[in-house]
Amino acid sequence: MRRYLLSWIALALACVWGQAQAQGQKLRILTWADYVPADLVAAFTKETGIEVEVTLSNNEEMISKLRATGGAGYDLVQPSQDRISSVQRDFEIYKPIDLKRVKLEEFQPALLEIVKRNTTIDGKLYALPYLWGTDGLVVNVKHAAAVTDYTDLCKPELKGRTSIRLRRPILMGFAFAMGKDPFALYGDPKAYTALMEQVTAALIACKPNFKFFYDNKDQLLNGIRSGELWAAAMWDTGGWTLNRENPDIQYVVPRSGALGWLDTFALPARARNLDAAYAWINFTMRPDNAARVIKSVGNFSAAQGTAPYVDPRLKEQFRMAFPEAQLKNVHWYPAIPPGIEEIEGRLLDRIKAAD
């Protein structure tokens, strides 16, 4: 009897210790604004006992922080899929994904394949898809219905009525609108530079049309709301937000195709709590939970089966912007090779400085 009593006490103590350990766990996530909504964190902690600590960042800061620590300080990070492979080759700040610990059936196969193509190194996968979206055009059709591609922002009748953000996506967008494929030239720096020189010349010639180069979303949204701007290069969710306020303002997928981005789950090389990281990945990709993220950020999840949980207005805006043919025409950002951004940076500075 005494032996059974001792065994029962040992088992009870083990359960209490296990619960205490789970409650004492912390998952440290480095991510973008709105990617980890508070209600999702609360549900995860309630289900698992694991606390979540969120640090907001962007691609450049994520890379910088992980380089500085050799991949320590966080258990899960969320860089864009085009910013992983070259950084990993140079600095080894990530560790491979253990696919045995991931519920792959929760992911959309097409998006999973895009990320596999861009983040696999020596047969090892370094990321999984999380959220995706596009860059295109926002147009007030009452004033600028003829704007259907990036280069249309340069039409003479739109002088002082358009805006762009002076970052690499506008270089890519103008290149595609000019009938070129910049991604196909990533492996040829000389040819890539020549194409970017052509794009730079076109953007400098277009400067009289740009009311300003916007630096943040509020500046752009307010410029369009006020009627100061009639058309701009912009991301999809911003356009859909404006459309709900004013039906004349529409998100337009360019004739040459929208630019597609994919943000990911990635594991830092010195992550401490991998169990919590994999638990979070599997939890957030469940359709009902993925829909919470969609509601928070406005972009679409890489999870399968979210449609029944998504706001009908957002689904309709998506359907209008992306009929099947348009969605197939999205230009997904491939992995960025070394040296490309330096070329772009010099040319963006030239555009900014040009009279």
Side-chain angles (χ1 to χ4, degrees):
M1 183 68 179
R2 181 183 177 190
R3 184 176 62 190
Y4 289 120
L5 180 61
L6 289 174
S7 297
W8 182 88
I9 292 172
L11 179 61
L13 287 172
C15 291
V16 171
W17 173 248
Q19 290 174 351
Q21 274 195 314
Q23 291 170 355
Q25 283 188 47
K26 181 180 287 186
L27 172 65
R28 301 162 302 161
I29 304 177
L30 185 63
T31 189
W32 303 77
D34 302 323
Y35 275 31
V36 182
D39 62 334
L40 187 63
V41 169
F44 177 74
T45 301
K46 181 179 180 180
E47 182 171 309
T48 66
I50 301 170
E51 299 293 328
V52 179
E53 178 182 283
V54 178
T55 302
L56 301 184
S57 190
N58 56 45
N59 277 316
E60 291 75 19
E61 287 184 0
M62 288 181 204
I63 294 169
S64 178
K65 287 177 182 290
L66 294 180
R67 282 186 60 187
T69 61
Y74 302 94
D75 304 303
L76 188 67
V77 295
Q78 302 209 264
S80 299
Q81 55 105 18
D82 56 323
R83 304 298 185 102
I84 293 175
S85 61
S86 62
V87 174
Q88 176 61 17
R89 287 191 179 95
D90 289 342
F91 306 112
E92 297 184 342
I93 57 176
Y94 300 114
K95 65 172 58 191
I97 302 290
D98 183 352
L99 293 178
K100 297 188 188 70
R101 304 186 68 178
V102 178
K103 295 179 180 179
L104 292 177
E105 67 276 8
E106 293 180 338
F107 293 82
Q108 294 183 44
L111 298 179
L112 183 59
E113 285 306 310
I114 291 169
V115 173
K116 282 183 176 180
R117 185 165 64 245
N118 286 311
T119 67
T120 298
I121 304 172
D122 298 329
K124 297 177 181 178
L125 180 64
Y126 284 88
L128 294 166
Y130 181 55
L131 286 172
W132 68 275
T134 62
D135 292 322
L137 299 163
V138 170
V139 178
N140 187 324
V141 296
K142 188 175 180 179
H143 300 293
V147 174
T148 60
D149 213 338
Y150 290 100
T151 48
D152 291 337
L153 296 173
C154 304
K155 288 179 177 290
E157 63 269 26
L158 297 177
K159 184 176 181 180
R161 291 292 190 173
T162 70
S163 183
I164 62 171
R165 191 178 189 193
L166 208 51
R167 298 287 182 89
R168 70 185 310 266
I170 198 61
L171 299 177
M172 305 300 105
F174 260 66
F176 279 112
M178 293 163 63
K180 309 294 184 181
D181 182 352
F183 300 154
L185 300 180
Y186 269 11
D188 186 342
K190 185 176 179 180
Y192 187 78
T193 300
L195 173 57
M196 289 298 107
E197 291 277 3
Q198 295 175 42
V199 171
T200 297
L203 283 164
I204 290 174
C206 193
K207 282 190 78 173
N209 278 36
F210 301 141
K211 182 71 174 179
F212 51 76
F213 296 133
Y214 67 89
D215 295 317
N216 60 73
K217 71 176 183 179
D218 289 334
Q219 182 186 17
L220 179 57
L221 293 174
N222 291 334
I224 295 175
R225 285 184 178 117
S226 68
E228 184 180 24
L229 299 174
W230 291 350
M234 196 181 186
W235 60 99
D236 46 21
T237 55
W240 293 332
T241 296
L242 292 168
N243 178 255
R244 287 193 288 272
E245 301 169 8
N246 180 352
D248 289 333
I249 301 172
Q250 299 178 10
Y251 177 68
V252 174
V253 175
R255 291 191 315 274
S256 57
L259 298 167
W261 54 265
L262 264 165
D263 289 340
T264 69
F265 299 105
L267 301 172
R270 295 168 61 193
R272 285 196 316 230
N273 199 342
L274 288 178
D275 289 342
Y278 283 111
W280 176 263
I281 292 170
N282 291 325
F283 180 83
T284 56
M285 296 306 285
R286 286 177 359 205
D288 55 334
N289 291 330
R292 298 188 200 211
V293 180
I294 294 171
K295 181 179 179 181
S296 173
V297 76
N299 288 108
F300 282 90
S301 171
Q304 296 211 78
T306 59
Y309 305 96
V310 175
D311 180 347
R313 291 179 304 170
L314 184 58
K315 284 195 289 188
E316 178 61 15
Q317 287 176 316
F318 178 86
R319 187 191 67 79
M320 293 292 290
F322 292 103
E324 187 175 356
Q326 286 283 27
L327 195 56
K328 289 180 179 178
N329 199 30
V330 171
H331 305 294
W332 297 100
Y333 286 106
I336 303 173
I340 288 293
E341 290 183 288
E342 286 75 10
I343 295 169
E344 297 164 352
R346 290 194 299 270
L347 296 174
L348 290 169
D349 287 342
R350 186 193 303 174
I351 297 167
K352 185 176 183 179
D355 293 329

